[in-house]
Each structure stands twice: as structure tokens, then as C-alpha cells.
Amino acid sequence: MSMNPGGSEGRLLTVLERSWRPVALLIACFAVWWAITSTRLVPPYLVPSPGTTLGVMTEKSSYLWQHTWVTTYETVLGFVIAVVIGVLAAVVMVYSTTVEKTLYPVLLFAQVIPKIAIAPLFVVWLGFGLTPKVVVAVLIAFFPVVISMVTGLKSVDPEMLQLAATMGASPLKTFAKIRFPASLPHLFSGLKVAVTLAVTGAVVGEFVGANEGLGFVILQANGNLDTPMLFAGLLVMSLIGVVLFVLVEIAEQLMLPWHASRRGEAATTTL
Amino acid sequence: MKGNLEAERTPGAATAVAAVELDAVAVRFRAKKKEVTALRDVSLSVAPGEFVSIVGPSGCGKSTLLKLVSGLLRPSAGGVRLFGEAVGGTRHDIGYVFQRAALLEWRSARRNILLQAEMRGMPAAEAGRRADELIEMTGLTGFEDALPHELSGGMQQRVALCRALLHRPPVLLMDEPFGALDALTREQMNVELHRIWRETGTTVLLVTHSIAESVYLANRVLVMTARPGTVAEIIDVDLPGSRDYAETMSQPPFAEATGRIRDLLGAATATD
């Protein structure tokens, strides 16, 4: 089996090489799940078999699809808003110590309040629609974005900034050409955390008052003791998180091909 | 032109306006509620086109001296002038090279060099031509599109040097530029810097830890004492303008100058 790193065959091989371990683990998990349910160790109304769950997923696919779309929409919207606000807040905080000193404790306070505890309040204030879910998603995803962006903007080589000063560069140019691009690796690690948290935020929002979305599906299934549907909802929910995470990773790979973490990965995959 | 430069490089003959002038400068700063004097009563006059090396024990304020000249730092006392003009803020008519190349890792070698032009808003065509010229002069041809991590330390420092020279600065400040390089690469870079200095006629202030480097490259060597940094002595290097590396090393004035510097530094560390 000869490697052909340049061709599409070589690329396929590297993808296979990279993904067979997690895929194997996933299959093993399903096998254990299947073994537990088929040996009747646990009654099926507590843990449905993989077959039953997948059966529900195909049978009620349009129902699930509809609610998946709602949750995905809330998640992505919340994530995008969190990124915009988070990045802007970080930029302001890095450029003004006064703002940083004022805002940081408030941010920290907002972060330590359990979102689940304040979610009902948003329902009271904002109703049962889309808004409270998006707000919870924003609140929960915002913090890692700010922290990573502040760290990124502050980790710029001070000599690079001195150099920019001797070049007579305007603060805007220095930001656009040096500070911002240099902060992206940090920002992306924050984005990966934020995007998975946004899913949680959206579902928490749905739990406290909704008539659509996967959180609603799960609560309904729970009320009806419909464990296969409950499991199906959980599976789809995790899938949303995984897909969004992968999308952020792909964006990172496209935008930062120069970064050391990417290079390291490239080196290991061409082994 | 060349003869003129030659004359100006001769210390003492600089009757015209000095390129760099430090007049009894001092730098004090507060650290842990204690006032620390980094530099005390340093005076130096550098003629246009002259190459001056600065050597001294670690922490004697050599880098601080360059920061004063560039205007990145203001002196606590005394005056700093560039071409007769008092330095009030960060100067834009200088080139700066640090010990670390400080390159943007997402930009190719050529685009790192062109950063200088972009920041200054220089016309792109002119900047491109100048960059190509410098790339050729420093032997970077063939590496224009390489990213910094694909370049050796010496190559990275060449890119930093090109970036510092892009706008034809009348003064080039170098802060231990070859300190992180291996001995052989360092020698090569010394030879190249000497050639580039001869070709460009720029005034150079070089901070270094290497006594041989300081003497080989410079017209004069400023030897500093340990903190608080003061001028121990300014040594004239009695060597020809154009210098071959191996030949220069074997000449008596070279041995004389390095020996004197070694004595001064020994004395400086002994009294510390």
C-alpha cells in the first residue's frame, strides 16, 4: 500500500488514517449499547436498543428534522451574535484599560450565574418564541469568545508593535495587519468551545418554555416515557454540536494554514 | 560621493550635522518603589554614514540607548537629536532590527518586507522594486514566497534586515541582530552587513555582545560600564573602510581594539 500524498487517493488515505480510531470507538460504544439491550440487562423502556432508536429516527424523520432545524437555527444565531459582541468587547477592553477594569468584573459575574437559573426569567421577559433561546445561547457562548480574543490580542509580540510604531503606522493599520491576524489562533480555540456551548444554551432555553426544538422534543418524549424518541433527540443534538465544531475547525484550517498547530497536524498525518 | 562618505566616516572630521547625537542623557525608571538608573550621562555623536558598535555587560542599557534614538523611549534627562532635530516622539526615519526577527508568521518573506511599505503607504510599484533589490542584495532570492517557519534563523534575520532597509532609512538601529545565530551564520551575516553598509551608506548603531563583531563592523566602538550604564570609552577602530573578514581579523589594529575592549569590560564587571 503505497502512499500518494499529492493525489486524491493519498488524501482519502490520510482521512481514513485519521478517522478510523474515533470511528472504531464509536462502533464499540454502539456495540456495548446493543449488547446491554439485547441481553435484557436493562428493560427496553429504560434503555431502548440502537435498532429501536434508529427506527424512530427514520420513522419520525420529518418531525425530528423540523425540530432539529429550529435548534440549529437558535444555536447558530446565538453563536454568531456571541462572536460579534465578544470580539468587539475584547477589542475595546484591550485598547482601554478603564473599560477593561469596568467590564471584566461584570463579565465574570454574568459568567458565574448559572444560565439554567436565569433562563426562566428570559421566558417571563421575552416570551416563548425564538428570542429567549438565542439570548441564553449568546450568554453561554459569549465568555469563551471574549477571553480567547483578549488573550489573543494581548499576546502580540511587543517588538512587533514597536516596529509598527517606527513605521509610522496608524492604530487602525496596526490592528488590521498585525494585532487582529495574530489573535486569530487564540480566537479559534475560543470559538470551538463557544460553538458547542451554544448548543447547550439553545436547548436550555427550550427546556424552560418552548413548543418547538429538540429541547421540546426531549421534554415531550420524557413526559410520554417515550425513551426511543428521547434517545433519538439526544443523538441528533450531539450531532449538531459535532457538525458545528467540525465547521469551525474547517474554517480555522482555511484561515490559518500558517499556524503552528496546523503545521503540527500536517506533519503527523503525512507520517 | 564615496570619497565624501569616507571623509565623514572618519571620526573627528564630522563638522557637519551629526546623524545621531546624545547629549548627557540619563534614563531612570521606578521598579518596586525603588528608582533605578539605567543610563547615566551618556554622550555620543555619530556622523552620517558612520558605523558605531555598542558593547557592554548585560543589562547596562545598550538596548535602552537604541530606544532613545528611535524615540520609543524618552530620556529622563539630556537631549537626543537626529540630524540636528530633537527627538520628540517615535521617529519614522529609522530602520530597526531586533534580536528576534519579529516576522509575521502568516506572511511570506517578501510580504513581510513589504509590511514596511504598507504601513507607510509607500507606492506599491516602487516598494516592490525596492524589495526585489534588497532580496537580491541579501541573498534571499528563491525564498521570497517562503513563510517564516520555513526559513532558517539567518534567513529570517535577512528578511528583518530587508524590512528595516526598505524605506532607505538614514539611520539603522540593530539590537543584537545576530545574537541568536550559530557562529558560522553569524560570520556570514557580519560579512554581508559590512557589504550592505558599504553599499547603502546608512548610519548604523549596532548593539552586540560579540567583541570581534563590534570591531570588525564599526568605525568606532562605544564601550559601556555595568548598570548604571555610562560610557567607559569610545574606541576608534583603525582599520580600512572596506574589510575582508579573515584579513581584518589578522591585522594588528583589530587585535589592539579587541584587547582594549576586553580589558574595559573586564574592569567593568570587576567593579560591579
Side-chain angles (χ1 to χ4, degrees), chain A residues 157-170 173-174 177-179 181-182 257-260 263, chain B residues 67 70 72 90-94 96 98 100 102-107 115-116 118-121 147 149 163:
Chain A
D157 186 349
E159 286 182 346
M160 204 60 233
L161 296 178
Q162 289 177 349
L163 219 48
T166 68
M167 292 174 179
S170 65
K173 263 189 179 173
T174 308
K177 288 181 193 289
I178 298 173
R179 269 209 130 127
W258 49 270
H259 192 244
R263 299 201 302 269
Chain B
K67 290 228 163 74
S70 66
L72 284 167
T90 306
R91 296 290 295 218
H92 305 155
D93 53 352
I94 51 148
Y96 221 125
F98 294 102
R100 288 179 305 116
L103 302 176
L104 299 175
E105 40 178 337
W106 56 90
R107 282 181 171 235
L115 180 76
Q116 181 78 261
E118 289 171 30
M119 291 305 211
R120 288 171 185 274
L147 290 172
H149 72 89
R163 182 181 57 193

